[in-house]
Amino acid sequence: MALLKVKFDQKKRVKLAQGLWLMNWVSVLAGIIIFSLGLFLKIELRKRSDVMNNSESHFVPNSLIGVGLLSCVFNSLAGKICYDSLDPTKYTKWKPWLKPYLAICVFFNIVLFLVALCCFLMRGSLESTLAYGLKNGMKYYRDTDTPGRCFMKKTIDMLQIEFKCCGNNGFRDWFEIQWISNRYLDFSSKEVKDRIKSNVDGRYLVDGVPFSCCNPSSPRPCIQYQLTNNSAHYSYNHQTEELNLWVRGCRAALLSYYSSLMNSMGVATLLVWLFEVSITAGLRYLHTALDSVPNPEEPECESEGWLLEKSVPETWKAFLESVKKLGKGNQVEAEGADAGQAPEAG
């Protein structure tokens, strides 16, 4: 028994074809939007690729770009099919290809749904790549004279200013690395010598942060050196007083920014997916309604359209049987090839 059977006369078939034609061209515009969103996200990720560990984070924008292009292609073709279905002579050339095309559309809808899910699930991967990339970027902050790393200071400073953040997890991350280049250290100074000798790795570590960590909204002039020394500043207690630095770490700031972007894109992709599913269902109804016309020479007669020719369990069972037959056919071919090679070997 056919699933969700609907009766169509000529007027309903024409209206269905015209409605699907319009929906397909709207979906082409939606595909352009998805493509643009993917391109925008890719550009945003490339802007800060220096503080990201690998290219895994580009999977989502690349997928959005891909499904956006495929959506434009498939829906343009579907629009042409719907337009030609109004003319019986033009429709006959599409008739043999409609079933494979609908199967491809179903597969595309599954891929589109998975891409939408990836937009929501990429937070964990993005968090790990940001954590490692920011840590390495801070390590190379002082290498202003090293080719290939001389831009890292500017990158980190602009990042902290733009996103109002400091360090990887917080401003104290700067206490654990030497972020001042040896070029700007006076090695004849006793203080510099003592600090280097007190460190196992021979690094110059200070309880200070770069200028880009300073919060310009603070009424007090920025305190960026000797942050843990209360006696170094007037009326200052680093444990109780709010520091005039950005408190949030850059990993959390970037993760929040990119997560909000990908969540918005995930919602947009899900809406497009729902639209694509409705178009695929409409195409299936149009296909079955036109195929079930009793006499093609009398287009005014009624016909029936349906989503599935059989019930869901029966359709699934038939699909599994066809897969088994395909597997057995491949096995027989392989055995025949082996039998043919055996006499040659003898």
Side-chain angles (χ1 to χ4, degrees):
M1 183 180 177
L3 182 68
L4 298 176
K5 190 184 290 185
V6 179
K7 287 189 176 182
F8 291 90
D9 55 18
Q10 186 187 20
K11 190 176 180 181
K12 285 183 179 179
R13 287 194 295 269
V14 169
K15 282 186 176 180
L16 178 62
Q18 289 173 342
L20 286 171
W21 177 84
L22 182 62
M23 288 174 71
N24 275 294
W25 286 110
V26 171
S27 198
V28 169
L29 295 177
I32 294 170
I33 291 170
I34 294 294
F35 173 83
S36 304
L37 289 174
L39 195 61
F40 172 73
L41 182 57
K42 192 172 184 68
I43 292 168
E44 285 297 299
L45 288 170
R46 280 196 176 277
K47 278 182 185 177
R48 295 162 192 101
S49 58
D50 301 323
V51 293
M52 292 185 177
N53 180 37
N54 51 44
S55 58
E56 287 179 11
S57 53
H58 288 271
F59 174 76
V60 170
N62 290 340
S63 300
L64 289 171
I65 290 169
V67 295
L69 286 173
L70 288 174
S71 178
C72 293
V73 172
F74 288 152
N75 287 290
S76 300
L77 185 59
K80 175 65 175 170
I81 292 171
C82 293
Y83 182 80
D84 287 349
S85 66
L86 298 172
D87 187 348
T89 55
K90 290 182 179 179
Y91 174 72
T92 51
K93 67 178 182 181
W94 293 108
K95 193 174 180 180
W97 301 100
L98 272 176
K99 270 194 176 180
Y101 176 77
L102 284 169
I104 292 170
C105 285
V106 170
F107 179 73
F108 173 71
N109 287 334
I110 294 170
V111 172
L112 189 61
F113 180 73
L114 292 176
V115 171
L117 283 184
C118 286
C119 291
F120 298 108
L121 299 176
M122 279 296 289
R123 181 185 173 92
S125 174
L126 190 62
E127 186 174 8
S128 60
T129 191
L130 279 171
Y132 193 80
L134 280 166
K135 190 176 180 181
N136 279 342
M138 289 170 64
K139 194 189 299 181
Y140 301 138
Y141 182 88
R142 62 174 178 163
D143 296 342
T144 52
D145 300 326
T146 306
R149 297 178 189 168
C150 55
F151 58 86
M152 192 56 76
K153 179 184 179 300
K154 180 183 177 182
T155 301
I156 296 291
D157 282 333
M158 294 302 294
L159 179 70
Q160 294 188 145
I161 291 169
E162 182 181 353
F163 287 91
K164 299 179 181 180
C165 58
C166 185
N168 188 354
N169 298 308
F171 68 93
R172 291 184 181 274
D173 293 337
W174 289 108
F175 299 176
E176 301 170 6
I177 61 171
Q178 180 182 338
W179 54 273
I180 301 173
S181 175
N182 289 339
R183 180 182 178 183
Y184 304 107
L185 295 176
D186 182 9
F187 286 95
S188 62
S189 169
K190 185 177 182 300
E191 182 191 352
V192 173
K193 287 179 181 179
D194 291 343
R195 279 192 178 275
I196 292 175
K197 285 178 182 178
S198 64
N199 185 264
V200 178
D201 299 325
R203 294 178 297 170
Y204 181 75
L205 303 181
V206 294
D207 55 342
V209 295
F211 78 97
S212 52
C213 283
C214 294
N215 182 358
S217 302
S218 174
R220 181 170 187 159
C222 186
I223 297 173
Q224 63 181 110
Y225 293 104
Q226 296 183 329
L227 291 170
T228 57
N229 186 359
N230 293 334
S231 60
H233 312 283
Y234 176 73
S235 184
Y236 174 77
N237 187 341
H238 76 279
Q239 293 180 339
T240 58
E241 184 176 340
E242 285 190 15
L243 299 175
N244 50 5
L245 305 173
W246 302 120
V247 179
R248 186 166 66 158
C250 289
R251 179 175 61 170
L254 282 171
L255 189 63
S256 174
Y257 172 68
Y258 285 122
S259 295
S260 63
L261 274 182
M262 288 196 287
N263 287 341
S264 302
M265 292 176 186
V267 170
T269 309
L270 276 178
L271 292 174
V272 173
W273 171 73
L274 289 172
F275 201 66
E276 290 285 352
V277 168
S278 62
I279 288 174
T280 305
L283 278 172
R284 176 61 175 165
Y285 272 117
L286 182 65
H287 168 226
T288 52
L290 289 171
D291 278 2
S292 62
V293 172
N295 187 1
E297 295 179 359
E298 295 180 10
E300 291 85 4
C301 59
E302 282 192 352
S303 62
E304 291 181 341
W306 56 82
L307 281 182
L308 294 175
E309 194 171 355
K310 300 175 183 177
S311 64
V312 175
E314 290 175 346
T315 304
W316 179 249
K317 189 177 178 181
F319 172 74
L320 291 177
E321 286 178 358
S322 63
V323 170
K324 284 180 183 177
K325 285 180 182 177
L326 185 64
K328 285 180 181 178
N330 291 335
Q331 189 177 357
V332 169
E333 286 179 6
E335 288 174 358
D338 291 340
Q341 288 175 0
E344 290 178 8

